Amino acid sequence: MKIKNICCIGAGYVGGPTMAVIAQKCPEINVTVVDINENRIAAWNDVDVENIPIYEPGLSKIVEEARGRNLFFSTDIDSAIDKADMIFISVNTPTKTYGIGKGMAADLKYIELCARQIARVAKDDKIVVEKSTLPVRTAQALKDILDNTGNGVNYQILSNPEFLAEGTAVSDLINPDRVLIGGDIDTTEGKEAVQALVDVYAHWVPQKQILTTNVWSSELSKLTANAFLAQRVSSINAMSELCERTGADVNEVAKAVGMDSRIGPKFLKSSVGFGGSCFQKDILNLVYIAKSFGLNEVADYWEQVIIMNDHQKRRFASNIVKTLYNTVSGKKITFLGWAFKKDTNDTRESAAIYVADYLLNEQAEIVVYDPKVKAEQIYADLDYLNTRTEEENRARVTVVNTPYDACKESHAVALLTEWDEFTELNWQQIYDNMLKPAFLFDGRRLLEKRTKEEIGFEFYAIGS
Ligand code: NAD
Ligand code: UGA
């Protein structure tokens, strides 16, 4: 079975970059990415390729190469489904905000809508690929809907979770540690469908890195991988608090521990707390699944990862208040960075949002500079919390275009995102223009303590 036409439903952080790379590497396959969000599709089609809606290093070049050749962005979902041999579902699967499982379970309504649309439109056999991160056994629900409401055509459901990280999406997609494909490997049709997807990736991924499993293992491996990664961050962050009390330094501890080849050096960077759209959502989902099977100890174990992360964000904010003589009321606090990590314009669940909310409750005035995040996004993030009125958020938070403007006359600077450019700032100039004593809180262990203290800053860094 040779795939000629791919449709991807969902033109977001996963669908857009993943399909751009597939189109680049497989010039003989037509790839159409569709979305209900007209503005997003218009931005993907913008004549100026620098205006595509997602910022990822290297992405605009790939889009420029493939767009119009074999990569298309469209709102005509029905036509793309009709034409495709293989349909990826890459829509969002947020935490439920209502009803049973509120605040924990994954909301699968967008997934179900996709399945019903495919069932309505498809007139010939299709391979449907779960690209979104889903609770284990979702493929069964998809199959039920497709088989019971479809036009009598055959469907094969594959699970092909995505492991890319934002900010490095292009290099993760081009050189993945592994590609995971789960399918119905007990039947001939299932095996053929798995092989069809293996053949797509084999255009550029070595065969030994393409792993095939049954569907349930694939679905559960994705949740497990994110839980393990988040757990490492919470583990090192737990140690950061102990370091601050004991005179140990968390970077030195991480280095010493990470040199044990059984532990490894990656993902041991202490921070103000992990953010991003997935770690928290996926762990809450895992906790919910464990509870639904009555596995309370399993659920409690993983929930601690989130509890630790919330504590780290709160601790960073309350340390600012304590250090500024127990009040930040009316004081100007500068935020350098708002994105949840460097090299992305994504702010979902960013620690900065929660630190800001805490300080605003203490009546601080906040000024934000982030090289890639727009003011309207920052206000939308704060409004979403519903802690205060939209007017109040706009009155108390200012967004500016340069780090120097952001720091002028402020009482304290808090570094929330590890953008490279922050290491190269003229910190002397920043210090000269701040109120004294000038406080600097490094939530990312990005800045060198010695040089900042020599300038005259009162310097505080996570874990030292
Ligand atoms: P996103 O919100 O950026 O994009 C999802 C898109 O799907 C949106 O543009 C939305 O308009 C569209 N959509 C929703 N319902 C639709 C429908 N019925 N028809 C057409 N379009 C529809 O989300 P994302 O970050 O790309 O994440 C997608 C999935 O991938 C999630 O399950 C997430 O957990 C998973 N994932 C994300 C990342 C990441 O780095 N962001 C990495 C790995 C896996
Ligand atoms: C994460 C995973 O790394 C991806 O493999 C996965 O595909 C993705 O989630 C997903 O499913 O959405 P992402 O959230 O984009 O990717 O970025 P990460 O690099 O994992 O960072 C997540 C958060 O942890 C960031 O806020 C980052 O600053 C923080 N972090 C990461 C640390 O604080 N310390 C570290 O050592 C590593």
Side-chain angles (χ1 to χ4, degrees), residues 9-15 34-37 40 77 90-93 110 113-114 117 131-133 162-166 222 277-278 281-282 346 348:
I9 310 180
Y13 283 87
V14 169
V34 292
D35 204 293
I36 38 174
N37 183 334
R40 214 166 204 185
I77 304 175
S90 188
V91 300
N92 37 327
T93 49
Y110 306 109
L113 283 172
C114 291
Q117 188 159 6
K131 190 50 131 173
S132 300
T133 303
E162 186 47 61
F163 296 101
L164 69 81
E166 290 179 27
K222 173 63 196 177
S277 61
C278 293
K281 152 178 94 69
D282 292 346
D346 194 349
R348 290 177 289 180

Side-chain angles (χ1 to χ4, degrees), residues 74 97 101 104 178 205 254 258 291 302 337 371 392 403 406:
S74 166
T97 53
M104 296 216 101
R178 76 316 207 175
V205 181
K291 278 195 180 148
W302 287 109
E392 257 182 291

Side-chain angles (χ1 to χ4, degrees), residues 29-46:
I29 301 179
N30 278 321
V31 181
T32 307
V33 190
V34 292
D35 204 293
I36 38 174
N37 183 334
E38 289 176 11
N39 292 336
R40 214 166 204 185
I41 291 297
W44 280 112
N45 283 322
D46 199 295

Side-chain angles (χ1 to χ4, degrees), residues 345-402:
N345 59 350
D346 194 349
T347 65
R348 290 177 289 180
E349 292 299 325
S350 179
I353 303 169
Y354 297 93
V355 175
D357 191 52
Y358 185 103
L359 294 175
L360 288 169
N361 282 343
E362 293 290 329
Q363 303 188 338
E365 309 282 328
I366 293 178
V367 184
V368 186
Y369 166 75
D370 185 291
K372 289 288 175 201
V373 181
K374 299 201 171 103
E376 58 262 37
Q377 184 60 51
I378 293 171
Y379 293 125
D381 290 337
L382 289 168
D383 293 344
Y384 184 76
L385 297 181
N386 245 327
T387 316
R388 61 195 72 73
T389 64
E390 296 186 4
E391 291 70 33
E392 257 182 291
N393 281 331
R394 278 146 197 79
R396 306 259 304 284
V397 179
T398 315
V399 183
V400 298
N401 291 326
T402 80

